[in-house]
Amino acid sequence: MARGQLTQALAAKKARTRKAARRGESAPPKILKAAIEEFGRHGFVGASIGEIARRAGVVKPLVHYHFKTKDQLWFAAVRGAMRQLQGEMSRVPFELRGLDPIEAFKLVVRKYAVFCAHNPWVARMILAEAIRDTHRAQWVQSEYREPAYALFEDIFGRVHDSGRFRQMHPGNLFPLINGAIHAFVADRDVLQARYGIDSRDPQAIEAHARVIVDALLYGLLPR
């Protein structure tokens, strides 16, 4: 292929990608919400476009109008969820100004815990891809997970440098935080059956976020 033809082909591909993104952004929010739950329940392979349409209360052709492939729909669903999280976290730099380092750490952990509890299917659909190491998982890692780790590293580093936390490698600490947060969602049925805790209840979510922060702080304080 000649250079001119290659340039035209790349430009056409970019144009198609932009057009698909615009269609995805204009899709009814109920389609993206239904897609997140369907992908979270059944994974990418097991998810059904027909079931997503049914959950959203729309006809299947409308889903195909906005998303030509299931892959496009998956990416759009994650982008929508991450925009919501970024909206929550975008205020953090202002909220952290002049804040005690430990209070800053507590604030960020709590915000993340509350978001995950209110959006239980997001983590499941991402985790399902991470286990299989798909191109979707690699995209999430570069676009969202690495920046999130960088934010935690910055805040944890400030607390650690203040001498108020004992030494702990972030590679051990951050999975510990994630596990405590996501297990509350994943174990919803057993928590309800054994302890009467509804992990969808806002008060229960806030209570669990406080428990995570308190438990972490006791483990991180110098001995």
Side-chain angles (χ1 to χ4, degrees), residues 100-117:
D100 175 84
I102 288 183
E103 292 302 316
F105 180 80
K106 289 166 63 176
L107 174 67
V108 172
V109 172
R110 179 194 161 279
K111 277 184 173 289
Y112 181 55
V114 170
F115 172 83
C116 291

Side-chain angles (χ1 to χ4, degrees), residues 24-41:
E25 290 172 357
S26 67
K30 57 188 177 182
I31 292 179
L32 297 179
K33 182 179 179 181
I36 288 173
E37 181 171 352
E38 177 70 4
F39 285 126
R41 286 183 181 275

Side-chain angles (χ1 to χ4, degrees), residues 41-137:
R41 286 183 181 275
H42 303 292
F44 181 81
V45 175
S48 161
I49 297 296
E51 181 61 18
I52 290 171
R54 188 195 67 78
R55 288 181 187 279
V58 301
V59 294
K60 188 175 178 181
L62 181 62
V63 179
H64 285 300
Y65 168 77
H66 289 286
F67 308 101
K68 297 302 181 185
T69 66
K70 197 195 309 189
D71 210 49
Q72 286 182 5
L73 178 52
W74 190 96
F75 280 108
V78 172
R79 284 193 190 98
M82 291 300 105
R83 274 198 297 269
Q84 183 182 346
L85 176 58
Q86 288 171 335
E88 291 288 331
M89 303 304 286
S90 66
R91 297 187 291 272
V92 167
F94 301 99
E95 295 172 340
L96 296 185
R97 287 180 179 176
L99 205 60
D100 175 84
I102 288 183
E103 292 302 316
F105 180 80
K106 289 166 63 176
L107 174 67
V108 172
V109 172
R110 179 194 161 279
K111 277 184 173 289
Y112 181 55
V114 170
F115 172 83
C116 291
H118 281 295
N119 298 272
W121 301 112
V122 176
R124 292 191 184 188
M125 64 184 291
I126 292 175
L127 179 60
E129 299 301 310
I131 291 173
R132 295 169 177 79
D133 193 25
T134 65
H135 69 283
R136 291 177 292 276

Side-chain angles (χ1 to χ4, degrees), residues 78-79 82 86 139-149:
V78 172
R79 284 193 190 98
M82 291 300 105
Q86 288 171 335
W139 173 79
V140 170
Q141 178 174 331
S142 64
E143 291 291 321
Y144 299 111
R145 297 180 78 178
E146 289 181 1
Y149 267 66

